Amino acid sequence: MGTELPPLEISITRTLIVAGAIASRDYQDVHHDAELAHRKGAPDIFMNILTTNGLVGRYITDCFGPTAQLRKVAIRLGAPNYPGDTMVLTGRIEELDEQAGTATVRVLGANGIGHHVTGTVTLSFTEATVTVTLTDEEEA
C-alpha cells in the first residue's frame, strides 16, 4: 500500500502542553511547572502521552473524514515535545480495505530533536475522504 497522508504541523506551546495535561487530569509537575521540571533534569515542561495520543487521533480523523472511528491506537514516545518546537505528524497507509471500511496507518511525529511519537492506528469508516499524496513507487 504505502500511500502517504499529508503532514500536519503542530506548534508546541506552553498553553498546549499545560492544557493537554489539565484536560487529561495529568497533574504531574513536569507538564506545567518549569522550575520543578528543571529540578528533575528536564530543560523545560514537556507534553504528556495523553496529549500526544489525542493529537495522533486528531491527525487520523482529520485525514479520513468525519465518519472515521479509531479502533486501536498503539504509540510509543521518544524525544520530548518542549515549548517552542514544532511537531510534524506524518502517516502511511499500511492496509486499506475500502469494502470493509477499515485501515491501518503507520504514524510518525517528529520534532526538532527527533521522533516524538511512533505507532500504528487502526480505524474504521463508512465513507472515506482520504487526502493522499502518491509516492514515486505508486506513480511508476
Side-chain angles (χ1 to χ4, degrees), residues 4 18 31-33 48 52 61 68 80-81 94 98 100 103 115 132 140:
E4 300 286 334
V18 173
H31 303 309
H32 65 85
D33 188 319
N48 72 353
T52 299
T61 58
N81 268 339
E94 299 290 320
E98 292 184 66
H115 293 164
V132 297

Side-chain angles (χ1 to χ4, degrees), residues 3-79:
T3 304
E4 300 286 334
L5 299 178
L8 173 64
E9 288 189 15
I10 298 170
S11 296
I12 308 302
T13 64
R14 288 184 183 286
T15 301
L16 176 61
I17 293 169
V18 173
I22 290 169
S24 60
R25 297 183 177 187
D26 183 349
Y27 304 116
Q28 189 172 356
D29 51 22
V30 295
H31 303 309
H32 65 85
D33 188 319
E35 184 179 321
L36 291 174
H38 289 158
R39 286 188 206 157
K40 292 184 176 183
D44 207 337
I45 62 171
F46 53 90
M47 186 174 285
N48 72 353
I49 191 169
L50 296 171
T51 303
T52 299
N53 197 50
L55 292 171
V56 167
R58 171 195 160 194
Y59 174 60
I60 296 299
T61 58
D62 282 358
C63 288
F64 278 82
T67 67
Q69 294 183 334
L70 305 179
R71 298 299 181 190
K72 180 180 179 184
V73 178
I75 61 171
R76 170 177 250 159
L77 292 184

Side-chain angles (χ1 to χ4, degrees), residues 7-12 52 56 78-81 85-91 107-118:
L8 173 64
E9 288 189 15
I10 298 170
S11 296
I12 308 302
T52 299
V56 167
N81 268 339
D85 207 343
T86 299
M87 177 175 65
V88 179
L89 287 166
T90 57
V107 177
L108 172 66
N111 61 31
I113 57 176
H115 293 164
H116 171 68
V117 62
T118 56

